[in-house]
Amino acid sequence: MPNAKVLEEKKAIVASLAEKLQNSVAGVVVDYTGTSVSDDTALRKELREAGVEYFVVKNTLLRRAIEGTNLESINEVLEGTTALAISKDDYVSAARILCKFAESHESFKVKAGYLDGEAIDIEKIESLAKLPSREVLLATVVGAFQAPIASFARAVQAIVDKNEGGEAAAE
């Protein structure tokens, strides 16, 4: 039986982890076995630049943090080495970065994930990973709004040019 101090520290870790899970929109659970230090450092840098928090977590502590929540089905994959990537505001970046990394690193495996407090399976994570980034989606929407306006402006300019050409010929 652990002493009271260790038990309190673990309770604080579980509470902190539960709060992080609750305050995030998306997360991905991975098995990082066999990942070299240099690869792990590069992965952490890429995740950090995307605004994703990535850390190693003990399976028992994660089990306690998701106990009684909609994420309890993640318990099934909590074996071996486990790391967690959490995003507070971007639904796609963690899945995209980790799935891309898993494709090029045989031993690195995506286990499970969640969106808005609901557990999702690997297939949904892979579907998320294929979505374009938020910036690309926003640019697509802006382009869709600009296209009719740009066409209208070109049509008006063509009428103006035509009329100016007709007046020049009349003089």
Side-chain angles (χ1 to χ4, degrees), residues 96-106 108 126 129-130:
R96 186 178 55 254
I97 293 167
L98 293 171
C99 285
K100 184 180 82 175
F101 189 82
E103 286 174 8
S104 60
H105 296 81
E106 196 174 309
F108 189 89
E126 289 171 350
K130 293 175 184 169

Side-chain angles (χ1 to χ4, degrees), residues 15-24 53 55 86 88 114:
S16 171
L17 185 55
E19 183 180 340
K20 285 180 181 184
L21 292 168
Q22 189 174 28
N23 293 333
S24 62
E53 186 178 356
F55 51 92
I86 294 177
K88 290 184 178 183
Y114 67 91

Side-chain angles (χ1 to χ4, degrees), residues 139-161:
T140 304
V141 169
V142 169
F145 282 130
Q146 282 183 334
I149 296 168
S151 296
F152 178 72
R154 284 191 294 274
V156 170
Q157 187 62 47
I159 293 169
V160 169
D161 292 344

Side-chain angles (χ1 to χ4, degrees), residues 1-13:
M1 178 92 186
N3 67 31
K5 181 180 176 186
V6 172
L7 194 57
E8 287 304 313
E9 288 173 359
K10 286 185 179 183
K11 284 181 182 178
I13 292 169

